[in-house]
Amino acid sequence: MSDSISARLAELGITLPEPAAPIAAYVPTLEIGGLLHISGQLPFRADGSLITGRLGADFDVAHGREAAERCAVMLIAQMKQALGSLDRVARIVKLGAFVSSDPHFTEQPKVANGASELMEKVFGDKGRHVRSAVGVPVLPLGAAVEIDAIVAVTGG
């Protein structure tokens, strides 16, 4: 499966970045009880720049979807580093999306679709998951979106 996932990433034009190091007192991943818990990941572009801004005030849904997709790429990079191989991914169980939003912005689910749709493109049916998408007034470093994940894993 790893070869097919690697091929799928290449087909989608996705190169996994170096996983982001924690910016505070926590670990990026924790595997326990057959689940890999991944701390919230920020939306870094391929050039390393952070996608910032507040949805509904500074930017639109398209900007947010791009940010959510970049969070998903970083989640996959964290999976690969923690598991050694993406072939250990049995299922993306849950994504939690936090969207920096104006109080009147209500399209957080559309923003989070950027990550959800990428997970399904990469992992197929194993990428379908449950999800929450909430608006928050501010995120670390001014990020537009932050997403965490729970992933079911095999072996170990």
Side-chain angles (χ1 to χ4, degrees):
M1 182 193 322
S2 182
D3 289 341
S4 65
I5 293 173
S6 295
R8 188 69 179 138
L9 288 168
E11 183 181 305
L12 293 169
I14 298 169
T15 301
L16 294 179
E18 197 61 35
I23 61 170
Y26 62 90
V27 295
T29 61
L30 179 61
E31 184 180 348
I32 189 165
L35 296 173
L36 180 69
H37 297 262
I38 306 172
S39 295
Q41 299 298 302
L42 300 181
F44 290 99
R45 293 182 182 96
D47 67 5
S49 64
L50 180 65
I51 300 174
T52 61
R54 198 165 188 203
L55 281 290
D58 306 319
F59 297 100
D60 62 7
V61 170
H63 180 83
R65 283 180 57 88
E66 176 194 1
E69 185 174 289
R70 293 309 302 177
C71 290
V73 170
M74 189 59 75
L75 287 166
I76 296 168
Q78 293 286 4
M79 288 176 216
K80 185 169 184 176
Q81 179 170 292
L83 302 173
S85 172
L86 292 172
D87 66 356
R88 291 192 55 209
V89 173
R91 181 80 186 233
I92 307 302
V93 177
K94 182 176 185 186
L95 297 182
F98 303 89
V99 180
S100 179
S101 306
D102 177 89
H104 302 289
F105 184 79
T106 60
E107 298 187 87
Q108 291 84 1
K110 290 180 182 177
V111 169
N113 281 346
S116 293
E117 291 169 6
L118 183 67
M119 290 299 184
E120 191 170 351
K121 286 177 188 174
V122 172
F123 294 102
D125 285 341
K126 292 179 182 181
R128 294 180 55 86
H129 53 272
V130 299
R131 183 186 80 193
S132 57
V134 298
V136 298
V138 66
L139 287 168
L141 307 177
V145 178
E146 179 176 354
I147 301 178
D148 62 11
I150 301 172
V151 180
V153 299
T154 61

